[in-house]
């Protein structure tokens, strides 16, 4: 069942989520090893955070074995021009990839070859990276035109098969040799040839440093963060997040702009919020929600949005926020590049010792908005072995 989760923490209703980010890992896949399989597709799970291709492999003696192999998220596949129809039941495929250390009949897909001989690498792109139409910079009323579908630029590995190297913006990947690592970066932990891949054990059982908040936390904030960490990853990864965390990352978002209201629809599980324009004060009584109550106004060509009235939840990652969260956002449209820049400040005197100040940039999307489903089907590694005396 694909669903949204609402988790209680203490006496409050806590809505939690893992923020979409540029972080990438290989989980329990043995990236230093190769596997080649040929079979017939039985099912395709087109979901986030990872999609899974199911197929049957027939041995020489006629016996069949069922496999499932992981590809990128439904969101990034859709933005790359991949569709579920490409993987209809009955389709014959050949898979090159890496085996899983936990689940013997699972694998990581590096390249898919179809019966007609065409092939797609893991990060293969089937559509142009730029929108097909030009945008009108301003509305007839004079305000910047921010209406439409928006998404952050894709990040892809410098190895199109996704085995080694690191992540770079899609528009820059052609600058690098296969598997190259730009100056100042390192290969992704667990990639082929890295010490983590050579350890021969699932990355999830490798000791990790203590978690850190996205901002300085009070004692109450640290306790709330620990409560989030204690939630199983498979549950946490499909929980809805905040207006801060869910706007960025992989999903395609949509803005509907009018004089009185600007509506923001978030691609991650369909969070929706309304910005009430021309107001500078919030109502005296607000019913708390996960999206809060937003008011906005134009300062020259900058859209300023002030939001309060939140239910306790997650600001980003495992950094929680209380009902006292106050978010101020400033949206600026670059008329030359059509990039929509958001700068935001999030303050919470109960949980934060200082405001969280960050920003993100959206570009016009090459594919339309859609509320993406989430079902974490990733193999679960066994717990780390007990320490010996």
């Amino acid at each position: 069942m694909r669903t949204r989760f609402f988790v209680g923490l203490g006496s409050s209703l806590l809505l939690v989520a893992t923020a979409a980010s540029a972080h990438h890992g290989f989980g329990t896949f043995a990236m230093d090893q190769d596997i080649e399989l040929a079979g017939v597709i039985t099912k395709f799970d087109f979901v986030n955070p990872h999609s899974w291709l199911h197929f049957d492999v027939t041995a020489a003696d006629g016996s069949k074995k069922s496999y499932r192999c992981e590809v990128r998220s439904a969101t990034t596949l859709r933005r790359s021009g991949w569709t579920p129809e490409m993987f209809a039941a009955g389709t014959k495929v050949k898979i090159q990839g890496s085996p899983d250390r936990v689940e013997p009949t699972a694998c990581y897909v590096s390249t898919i070859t179809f019966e007609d001989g065409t092939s797609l690498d893991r990060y293969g792109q089937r559509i142009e990276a730029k929108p097909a139409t030009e945008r009108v910079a301003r509305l007839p009323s004079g305000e910047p035109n921010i209406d439409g579908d928006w998404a952050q630029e894709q990040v892809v590995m410098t190895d199109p098969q996704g085995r080694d190297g690191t992540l770079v913006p899609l528009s820059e990947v052609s600058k690098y040799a296969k598997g190259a690592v730009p100056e100042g970066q390192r290969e992704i932990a667990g990639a082929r040839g890295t010490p983590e891949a050579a350890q021969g054990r699932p990355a999830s059982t490798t000791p990790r440093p203590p978690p850190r908040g996205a901002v300085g936390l009070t004692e109450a904030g640290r306790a709330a963060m620990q409560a989030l960490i204690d939630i199983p990853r498979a549950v946490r990864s499909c929980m809805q997040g905040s207006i801060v965390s869910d706007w960025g990352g992989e999903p395609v978002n949509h803005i509907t702009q009018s004089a009185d209201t600007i509506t923001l629809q978030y691609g991650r599980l369909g969070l929706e919020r309304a910005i009430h324009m021309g107001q500078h004060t919030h109502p005296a009584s607000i019913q708390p929600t996960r999206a809060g109550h937003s008011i906005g106004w134009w300062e020259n060509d900058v859209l300023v949005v002030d939001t309060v009235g939140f239910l306790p939840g997650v600001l980003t990652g495992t950094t929680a926020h209380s009902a006292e969260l106050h978010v101020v956002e400033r949206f600026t449209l670059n008329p030359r590049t059509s990039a929509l820049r958001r700068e935001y400040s999030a303050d919470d005197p109960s949980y934060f010792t200082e405001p969280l100040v960050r920003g993100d940039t959206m570009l016009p999307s090459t594919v339309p908005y859609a509320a993406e489903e989430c079902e974490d089907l990733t193999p679960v590694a066994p717990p780390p072995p007990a320490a010996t005396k």
Side-chain angles (χ1 to χ4, degrees), residues 78-143:
R78 189 169 70 90
R79 292 180 60 187
S80 301
W82 298 37
T83 66
E85 291 73 23
M86 295 168 57
F87 305 97
T91 302
K92 294 181 179 180
V93 292
K94 293 181 180 179
I95 302 295
Q96 292 177 297
S98 297
D100 188 78
R101 294 191 179 102
V102 173
E103 188 176 325
T105 54
C107 79
Y108 173 98
V109 173
S110 293
T111 302
I112 301 174
T113 302
F114 297 91
E115 190 174 13
D116 64 1
T118 60
S119 63
L120 272 174
D121 287 333
R122 184 179 184 88
Y123 286 91
Q125 302 294 313
R126 301 183 67 245
I127 58 176
E128 292 292 329
K130 295 182 179 181
T133 58
E134 296 293 328
R135 289 182 55 84
V136 177
R138 293 185 181 274
L139 299 178
S141 55
E143 290 89 1

Side-chain angles (χ1 to χ4, degrees), residues 26 90 144 229 256 388:
F26 294 99
I229 294 169
T256 304
T388 58

Side-chain angles (χ1 to χ4, degrees), residues 366-378:
T366 57
V367 297
Y369 163 82
E372 308 285 2
E373 292 184 323
C374 185
E375 184 178 11
D376 196 336
L377 303 171
T378 308

Side-chain angles (χ1 to χ4, degrees), residues 309-345:
F310 293 96
L311 288 167
V314 171
L315 188 72
T316 183
T318 53
T319 300
H321 70 77
S322 75
E324 295 186 55
L325 177 66
H326 178 198
V327 178
V328 177
E329 301 158 290
R330 300 176 68 88
F331 294 84
T332 306
L333 181 67
N334 185 320
R336 182 179 61 85
T337 64
S338 294
L340 181 62
R341 178 69 180 172
R342 178 184 70 152
E343 306 283 352
Y344 62 83
S345 174

Side-chain angles (χ1 to χ4, degrees), residues 243 256 260-266 271-277 291-296 305-307:
I243 64 170
T256 304
D260 298 329
T261 306
I262 296 177
T263 302
L264 275 60
Q265 294 172 280
Y266 289 59
L271 173 67
E272 185 171 324
R273 58 189 287 221
I275 302 170
H276 306 283
M277 296 299 296
H293 182 272
S294 297
I295 56 176
V305 183
D306 188 288
T307 308

Side-chain angles (χ1 to χ4, degrees), residues 84-326:
E85 291 73 23
M86 295 168 57
F87 305 97
T91 302
K92 294 181 179 180
V93 292
K94 293 181 180 179
I95 302 295
Q96 292 177 297
S98 297
D100 188 78
R101 294 191 179 102
V102 173
E103 188 176 325
T105 54
C107 79
Y108 173 98
V109 173
S110 293
T111 302
I112 301 174
T113 302
F114 297 91
E115 190 174 13
D116 64 1
T118 60
S119 63
L120 272 174
D121 287 333
R122 184 179 184 88
Y123 286 91
Q125 302 294 313
R126 301 183 67 245
I127 58 176
E128 292 292 329
K130 295 182 179 181
T133 58
E134 296 293 328
R135 289 182 55 84
V136 177
R138 293 185 181 274
L139 299 178
S141 55
E143 290 89 1
N145 175 24
I146 62 173
D147 195 277
D149 298 314
W150 299 91
Q152 284 190 310
E153 183 176 7
Q154 275 197 68
V155 289
V156 298
M157 287 187 69
T158 51
D159 173 10
Q161 292 181 296
R163 290 176 170 175
D164 60 3
T166 192
L167 292 166
V168 297
L170 178 60
S171 62
E172 299 180 11
V173 70
S174 61
K175 300 178 183 178
Y176 304 101
K178 181 179 178 180
V181 179
E183 185 177 357
Q185 294 183 238
R186 62 150 289 182
E187 282 196 280
I188 297 171
R192 179 161 297 197
T194 62
E196 293 85 357
Q199 285 176 347
R201 58 177 174 171
S204 55
T205 67
T206 303
R208 296 180 178 178
R212 298 178 60 184
V215 69
L217 300 175
T218 64
E219 184 175 349
R222 290 192 297 271
M225 181 177 70
Q226 186 58 55
L228 294 175
I229 294 169
D230 290 342
I231 297 171
R233 183 216 62 209
V235 175
R236 200 168 63 232
S237 64
C238 285
M239 294 177 179
Q240 286 194 307
S242 70
I243 64 170
V244 167
S245 64
D246 283 7
W247 184 250
E250 299 173 349
V252 177
N253 306 314
H254 185 79
I255 297 177
T256 304
Q257 184 178 2
S258 68
D260 298 329
T261 306
I262 296 177
T263 302
L264 275 60
Q265 294 172 280
Y266 289 59
R268 180 176 166 79
L269 296 176
L271 173 67
E272 185 171 324
R273 58 189 287 221
I275 302 170
H276 306 283
M277 296 299 296
Q279 302 181 23
H280 288 74
T281 58
H282 294 278
S285 178
I286 297 174
Q287 179 66 40
T289 64
R290 186 167 42 81
H293 182 272
S294 297
I295 56 176
W297 58 91
W298 291 98
E299 290 184 357
N300 297 319
D301 286 343
V302 178
L303 173 63
V304 181
V305 183
D306 188 288
T307 308
V308 297
F310 293 96
L311 288 167
V314 171
L315 188 72
T316 183
T318 53
T319 300
H321 70 77
S322 75
E324 295 186 55
L325 177 66
H326 178 198

